[in-house]
Amino acid sequence: MNRLRFPRALDALWLMLLSIYILAGMMQAAFHGDEAMQIYMSHDYATAFIERDPARLIVTPPYNIDEDPWLRILNGSINRYAIGLSWQLAGLNTGMLPPRPGWDWGLDYDSNVQTGHRPSEALLAAGRISSTLFLAASAVVMFALGEQFGGRPLAYLVSALYTLNPVILLNGRRAMMEGSLLFFGLLAILIAVHISRGRRGWLGFILLGLSSGLALASKHSAAVFVAGAFGWILFTLILDIFKTPVEMRPAAPASSSPSPSWRRDWGVRSIFILKLTLSALLTLALFIALSPALWNDPIARLGDLVVQRQMLLDIQVAVAGGNPTTLLQRIEAIITQPFMTTPQQFEVAFWVGIPTIAEEIRRYMNSPLSGLQFGTLLGGLLTLFAGIGIIATMRNWRSWRIGLMVWLAVTIASLLINPLPWQRYYLPLIPIVTLLAGIGLMSLINLFQRRQQNQTLTTSQSPTHLTN
């Protein structure tokens, strides 16, 4: 399978088709109230870049629910800036934005519509286009990740599975933070793979810092991507140190300093650690620079962010029924969410009875643009392939590939402490499981091919019958 050859022009055509598919279903996705909040918050773009007064975006306690300082400190900034740029390019203005806080969850749906909280179709389209373009770009990154692990056959497979995943499509197409989260988060992982494979110049570490900072500024939950990327590189470094047995290193004279080769090894590694440290500092600096809510005493504001995030989580748990999910429920969700669970259209139960939303969901889910509905059979098979992919990766535990397990472990750990069953929180897991499913399937195909070749070789080498 790895011997297949694809013209590079076919790669470009394939990725263009995937992007067209992603963009084509953008306006068919059912509306979510959080989209209105993100579109409302795009007035920060006007403040910072049109009025050129970013100092007005600085926040200080106290934080009142649904007021601008609270919304700023809880949410990433990239999406609202991108939405602002989109509506500016579309010829719209701040006067067309919904009133604070974008969507009023204290009102019913009809009251929100009557008071202008639901954006117009033109404004919703402008709000969705940036996130959808980020999602299309993330499919390109998935193609590149697949190529790193199994050549272009795997690249085609995982990019298709990723793009056709209905959960990815629904969340990435909406005017929310998930599109930029997936793109910059996966980009940080891809750069970490290149560094782990030996491309350790300064440029790679600078790009790692930039992509990681942009990921965190997209959505704070991108921390799992950033931790996965840096953890991948660190684990590869540790493997590199222990790969060289002590007895293979040149022995130093008893009364002298370590040998030049020993100094050279540790000198190179020290520079490597310095580069990684500076990359981490660049990540933090860029995150703060793009987050005006943190400008006024960043350490104190980061503390506020953690406190407010926990308060919001408590509110969300209460809205979801008051009982956090059990450990067994979280484990079950980790297994079933990537392929075996249908898209969660909304998180609040009372949206079930809204006729307008129900019709939007029906129309979208009946469209071929909603993705491939895997179902129990195909979804279960893909999950099985992902398990095989874990085994195949672990067999090469001394390789740079083992970093994939570090990324998986970080993501699973974050989900094991997540008390909510909301599907959006499982979104960062889907790219990893998709990659593992592709690796597992390709491993089975390669195993089958090797067995076929061995049988052919054995048959060709068997002695012929002698005749008189």
Side-chain angles (χ1 to χ4, degrees), residues 43-323:
H43 68 68
D44 282 5
Y45 168 83
T47 301
F49 299 102
I50 298 177
E51 300 170 13
R52 298 183 180 180
D53 190 12
R56 285 167 47 200
L57 305 180
I58 294 174
V59 305
T60 55
Y63 304 99
N64 298 314
I65 293 177
D66 283 348
E67 291 190 357
D68 288 1
W70 188 75
L71 294 173
R72 284 191 191 112
I73 202 162
L74 280 175
N75 294 281
S77 57
I78 294 294
N79 186 56
R80 58 178 181 259
Y81 295 157
I83 289 175
L85 177 61
S86 297
W87 55 247
Q88 183 186 27
L89 293 175
L92 308 179
N93 56 62
T94 54
M96 301 176 179
L97 300 181
R100 183 173 65 83
W103 189 261
D104 191 338
W105 292 102
L107 301 176
D108 60 27
Y109 177 83
D110 291 337
S111 297
N112 269 288
V113 172
Q114 291 168 6
T115 52
H117 285 86
R118 174 157 181 165
S120 67
E121 286 298 295
L123 186 58
L124 186 62
R128 285 182 171 183
I129 188 64
S130 55
S131 180
T132 307
L133 287 172
F134 278 130
L135 179 64
S138 74
V140 177
V141 180
M142 277 298 292
F143 183 93
L145 279 170
E147 188 170 9
Q148 291 295 312
F149 276 86
R152 289 158 75 196
L154 182 59
Y156 278 85
L157 175 61
V158 299
S159 59
L161 288 174
Y162 175 82
T163 299
L164 294 175
N165 190 303
V167 179
I168 292 287
L169 285 171
L170 176 64
N171 288 280
R173 283 167 169 166
R174 284 170 164 169
M176 287 153 58
M177 298 177 282
E178 277 64 31
S180 56
L181 163 74
L182 289 168
F183 171 60
F184 289 116
L186 288 172
L187 184 60
I189 293 292
L190 177 62
I191 295 168
V193 169
H194 281 282
I195 292 173
S196 297
R197 297 195 69 178
R199 299 176 183 177
R200 300 179 178 180
W202 279 103
L203 179 60
F205 288 92
I206 292 171
L207 293 176
L208 176 66
L210 293 175
S211 59
S212 298
L214 288 166
L216 288 175
S218 295
K219 191 173 184 179
H220 301 150
S221 60
V224 295
F225 287 104
V226 176
F230 280 86
W232 194 319
I233 296 169
L234 277 173
F235 198 78
T236 305
L237 175 63
I238 293 170
L239 283 180
D240 181 60
I241 292 172
F242 287 98
K243 263 183 188 176
T244 308
V246 175
E247 59 269 18
M248 294 178 62
R249 296 172 181 152
S255 60
S256 67
S257 59
S259 67
S261 60
W262 176 263
R263 285 199 303 269
R264 184 169 60 251
D265 288 345
W266 282 102
V268 170
R269 288 165 184 159
S270 297
I271 293 174
F272 180 86
I273 293 172
L274 173 63
K275 291 177 180 178
L276 191 62
T277 302
L278 293 176
S279 182
L281 292 174
L282 176 59
T283 298
L284 182 60
L286 183 59
F287 170 51
I288 293 173
L290 292 172
S291 307
L294 305 177
W295 289 355
N296 177 26
D297 194 348
I299 295 177
R301 297 294 79 78
L302 285 169
D304 292 344
L305 189 158
V306 172
V307 171
Q308 295 302 315
R309 175 58 60 185
Q310 184 59 51
M311 289 178 58
L312 177 61
L313 190 60
D314 293 339
I315 294 172
Q316 291 171 330
V317 170
V319 170
N323 296 315

Side-chain angles (χ1 to χ4, degrees), residues 337-357:
Q337 284 287 359
F339 297 125
M340 293 189 284
T341 305
T342 57
Q344 186 179 33
Q345 303 284 341
F346 46 79
E347 292 79 25
V348 288
F350 63 82
W351 272 49
V352 174
I354 301 173
T356 303
I357 298 299

Side-chain angles (χ1 to χ4, degrees), residues 427-447:
L427 210 62
L429 179 65
I430 295 178
I432 318 172
V433 179
T434 301
L435 188 56
L436 285 168
I439 291 171
L441 177 58
M442 294 295 292
S443 298
L444 291 177
I445 293 174
N446 290 334
L447 177 62

